[in-house]
Amino acid sequence: MITSRDDVWQSAEVTAVDDVADRIRRIVLQPERPEPTRPGEHIDVLATVNGEQQVRSYSVVEAPDNGGHLVITVFRTPDSRGGSEFMHSLEQGQVLRVTKPLQNFPLRVGAPSYVLLAGGIGITAIAGMAALLRRLGADYRLVYVARSRAAMAYLDDLAALHGHRFEAHIDDEGGSLDVPALVAGVPAHTELYMCGPIRLMDAVRRTWADRGLDRTNLRYETFGNSGWFDAEPFVVRIPRLGVEAAVGSGESMLEALEREGVDMMSDCRKGECGLCQVKVLGLAGRIDHRDVFYSDRQKASDSTMCCCVSRAVAAAPPTSSGKRPAVLTIEVP
């Protein structure tokens, strides 16, 4: 649901746009009601997608002038839900509706040491934390992971700023991150903050649990658009309501059901809070769990799913022979 509360939403002018990496654009906004911004905060933006206004969330990378300007960085991906395409179309002088900075991923100051892990565009949520820890003289380690150097926003700036505390792991240069080694090197009371693809986050969470480290010291923010399978169209049915909806590859099941008039509960829309969970009654295909709300055991049962990010996929990849898409039967609260 799009809120219109005047104390949250405001206008913001685009004052600058520039590309900082392959398909990654830096956008500077000047909000009408500036306020100081803390590391880990984000803003929601009203993006025009397929002629409709939809809410998209972007981490605040930096906020100079005491919040007088807000810098966000957006990765453009054609197979997303359309928000990135809209954001990349913005030009200097345009005015958007945005929220004030909101906090879902706070950094706790005062821990003995920190590991900050960013995967790809996840650096947008982590960079501000690293900058603050550097200013405070904290003991921290900044780990930046990506498939290629060209896709790493702010790479040179971060390396120069953080020096020996910074390390980059680049897949196509033979430097992929060894997750077990990373977690094995974490002192017992260290806090690890991470943002990135779900596969990376799941690997860290499993290894963290296997080592028996304190779960409260592992904190994360995610974007739920990176599953184990490519997004493909599927069909969702709610027999009790007589609803059948086709879910396109560029939209979420939650959005498709809302389009059909189903009253759905949701909040984060990133697979973190679990408010949008639905009960699975039947499945022709398999579920691609893209959330970080459920445990591995819960995901394996396929009895429930977070419909804001998780999807259904055909049992085998679709072919030109006309293989039918997956069909998912659910019940909603």
Side-chain angles (χ1 to χ4, degrees), residues 225-294:
N225 61 351
S226 52
W228 294 99
F229 305 93
D230 291 336
E232 60 185 57
F234 65 98
V235 175
V236 58
R237 295 171 177 164
I238 309 176
R240 178 176 61 85
L241 301 179
V243 170
E244 179 174 311
V247 183
S249 59
E251 65 178 342
S252 70
M253 183 168 71
L254 175 61
E255 291 170 334
L257 292 174
E258 289 176 332
R259 187 185 68 237
E260 295 296 320
V262 181
D263 187 14
M264 300 294 296
M265 292 191 297
S266 68
D267 185 12
C268 73
R269 294 182 180 246
K270 296 187 290 183
E272 295 176 359
C273 71
L275 190 61
C276 71
Q277 60 182 313
V278 296
K279 183 178 181 180
V280 177
L281 302 179
L283 175 65
R286 61 190 305 176
I287 295 176
D288 185 9
H289 290 283
R290 299 178 171 210
D291 66 275
V292 292
F293 176 75
Y294 292 122

Side-chain angles (χ1 to χ4, degrees), residues 107-111 113-115 133 138-141 190-191 193:
L107 173 70
R108 189 182 77 87
V109 174
S113 59
Y114 301 84
V115 174
L133 293 177
D139 180 10
Y140 70 96
R141 175 183 175 193
T190 293
E191 293 187 2
Y193 293 75

Side-chain angles (χ1 to χ4, degrees), residues 149-165:
R149 186 176 296 269
M152 301 177 79
Y154 310 115
L155 175 60
D156 293 340
D157 291 341
L158 290 169
L161 180 64
H162 297 287
H164 71 281
R165 297 188 180 277

